[in-house]
Amino acid sequence: ALTERRTSIWPSIYPEILKRILANRTTIIFCNARRSAERLAAKLNELYEEEGGRYADRYPRGEGSASDEPHAARGSAADDEPATGIDELVRAHHGSLAREQRVVIEDRLKRGELRAIVATSSLELGIDMGAVDLVIQVESPGAVSRGLQRIGRAGHQVGEPSRGSIFPKHRGDLLEAAIVTRRMIDGEIESTRYLRNPLDVLAQQIVAHVAIVEECSVAEVATMVRRCASFAEISDDLLTNVLDLLSGRYPSEEFSELRPRIVWDRINDRLRARDGSKRLAVTSGGTIPDRGLFGVFLPDGTRVGELDEEMVYESRPGETFVLGASTWRIEDITFERVTVTPAPGQPGKMPFWHGDRPGRPLELGRALGAFVREIRDLDDAAAIERLMTHYSLDAFAAVNLQQYLAEQAEATGAVPDDRTVVVERFQDEIGDWRICILSPFGTPVHAPWAMAIERRLMDQFDMPVESMWGDDGIVIRLPESAVELPIEALMIDPEDIDELVVETLPQTALFAARFRECAGRALLLPRRRPDRRTPLWQQRQRAADLLAVAAKYPTFPILLETSRECLQDVFDVPALREVLGLLRSRAIRLVTVDTAKASPMASSLLFNWIAAYMYEGDAPLAERRAAALALDRDLLRDLLGAEELRDLLDPDVLADVELELQCVADGRRARSADELHDVFRKVGDLTADEVELRCETSDGWLAQLVIERRVIEIALAGETRWAAAEDAARYRDAFGCSLPLGLPMAFTDPVARPLEEIVGRYARTHGPFLSVDVASRFGASPERIAGALAALVGDERVVIGEFR
């Protein structure tokens, strides 16, 4: 008879985990993802309920526990409670549950009302409870430090051993779990490093500090900053760049929508906070990125937890879902929140959340490679014996791992290890070529390597390439026509890798996503209200708009910080350089092979291919530029035969929009000297009457700004006007305006394309206009203005047409 093929490992894992929970008094189960934690908790409760009293009879409460001492953190009544009296066997515990819910779950575990909880890293740093008998880790923890943190929760008392079991999900996972286990026993934790010069955090901390002290000198801030190890070696240029960013001195008037957070008196070198800076630092501070999650609340306003934005958009009122291993019915979905009521006993769909998992550290990758080499050098019986005695695998896992390595060797002729990289090529279902570079060195090495290969193939062969990377290698998809691929294209010179990665990085979705997070941390994308969620898609739009402007200015601090974060914190470029050097010197050998189908290790890599391309995520810079197709607008107009645009535009609406852009409409006028300064930065030069029109009250704010040298008086178009001091060089270089003495050098340095900057701001703060309007406003010749407008049209910042 044909044996039924098993398609999932989970039906084998659930009963085994349940057995261990019931054989101990208290168990913590760790998963690497919130969805997995929810699913596992629900399945364990379901299985326990299905089996009824069978498990309770076979595993009386507490039998098999490593400790016979009573649980210090429990009440005495809990010890006498029979196992069958527990309403729920386990509950899920993770960061998307409300803190109040997590506290209740922890308390129930301590009092013995729960036999186990299924947790993510939310419990990795501890629970004030020593009486945990066993920790179960589902899937390899991914690092020795994470494994020790988690299994160390068990027996967390002086002299008590920590007991743990690891349940791998597939054979590639088993490989990593084996070496992590051995290194945990040996105490070989990966080295750690603190961040160097994170400019986004620096910006946030300077705003918070200045807001608290209200006024201080730049020297005091510099001294304070350099007392912190992360910023001990920060240069004056970088610090000045960040202060420029916070005080509103941007490289272009295109940044005028960014509101300054502090005032920098450059004459006296003093800093002071602007109105609202303290509130901003409190409500938008922190370093955990805002993912736009929806809060989940009961009708009385009690918070239950939070759900991913995409999951909420796929849900409807009346549906049920599981959160914290409890079922909830959706009553209402608003822009702000999801209102739910309990639905005990009802089946519910599993929620999902998007999150980034840290990659395998290089030290663990090297150890994993050495482990593979060690096992491959032994015969089958000796290898299995070694795996069981030295690496703590049970007999089934040891045989499975030995067979996995043997099958890989049979498929490709070699197994990737710390001295071997395997390049495997085969055709996929539609005939395209897949190239898998199999190596154990981890995502921080593979990600920049894949980006550099992609760039090299595009430059040398003009070949469209898609790539994906993981801890166990790189997958590259090539068109069917690419029959011959020189292997040298994959082996990049170590000297070239830095430049290739830095060039390619801005075109990746990773860069766009990290830019959004960095801009948020630097307080450039604050929430409109602290009690309101900002949808993730809106954050992405705002960040993409900011990135499109910032990309033109290489010194913009958040661009630099995003590159630093990717190159230092996400990637390990020095390690990649070292690996490429060893490949070139043949210290690491390269094995190339063509196969009919994916080998076992390549199959594990390909499993993630669909997931990588299923959701678009943050749009990288190059794709946004390419989206603006270079079509002939006149021919397109002929083809479409469209109505004139002016027939569609309402003159009254245009007038209202222009009043808002000019800060004249209600709610847009300045309410303080700082806000009047923002008006000058946004609108440009103004006469005294125009200034008064843009203030809620006339309290001598203009005179105050002039005294503080934040606004200057200029003669333009035959009349006296005032402009922001930051624009001094623009008006001098564009129109020959004379500047007052005593301005800081930073405001008088020459500006590139000053006339285009000023005309561009005029265009952005007005409705449709004629070029003669601009010439009249600035007292310039129509020919000069026409030239500036033509340049702006070429940059796609201005559109010419018939609008009124």
Side-chain angles (χ1 to χ4, degrees), residues 328-472:
W328 307 89
R329 177 175 287 104
I330 299 174
E331 299 296 338
D332 188 28
I333 299 175
T334 68
F335 170 80
E336 270 301 304
R337 59 176 60 194
V338 179
T339 305
V340 300
T341 52
Q346 297 290 316
K349 66 180 179 180
M350 284 296 150
F352 60 83
W353 295 269
H354 295 293
D356 302 322
R357 185 183 168 188
R360 178 190 296 154
L362 179 67
E363 291 162 79
L364 181 58
R366 284 192 168 130
L368 192 148
F371 162 68
V372 168
R373 195 161 37 81
E374 175 196 352
I375 299 302
R376 289 290 303 149
D377 286 344
L378 301 172
D379 61 50
D380 291 355
I384 292 170
E385 172 68 20
R386 178 74 170 160
L387 290 170
M388 291 175 66
T389 57
H390 193 64
Y391 292 97
S392 307
L393 271 62
D394 64 19
F396 180 70
V399 170
N400 218 335
L401 183 53
Q402 191 274 329
Q403 287 179 349
Y404 177 58
L405 297 177
E407 287 172 20
Q408 180 66 31
E410 186 180 341
T412 57
V415 180
D417 57 40
D418 59 332
R419 298 179 188 171
T420 309
V421 170
V422 176
V423 178
E424 177 182 352
R425 190 178 74 149
F426 54 90
Q427 285 185 299
D428 64 12
E429 301 85 352
I430 59 172
D432 287 341
W433 289 101
R434 299 283 178 96
I435 294 176
C436 292
I437 302 175
L438 305 176
S439 108
F441 296 122
T443 297
V445 168
H446 296 148
W449 192 0
M451 285 166 43
I453 290 171
E454 217 174 297
R455 182 61 179 253
R456 177 61 56 86
L457 291 174
M458 281 297 294
D459 289 349
Q460 290 190 354
F461 303 100
D462 195 22
M463 191 184 293
V465 175
E466 289 171 351
S467 67
M468 191 212 72
W469 52 80
D471 280 336
D472 298 305

Side-chain angles (χ1 to χ4, degrees), residues 645-662:
L645 191 57
R646 57 187 170 188
D647 295 337
L648 306 177
L649 292 175
D650 186 328
D652 294 336
V653 172
L654 284 178
D656 289 343
V657 168
E658 186 158 330
L659 288 175
E660 289 193 7
L661 293 172
Q662 284 288 309

Side-chain angles (χ1 to χ4, degrees), residues 755 771 781-792:
L755 183 61
S771 58
S781 68
E783 292 78 20
R784 282 194 72 205
I785 299 300
L789 284 169
L792 293 169

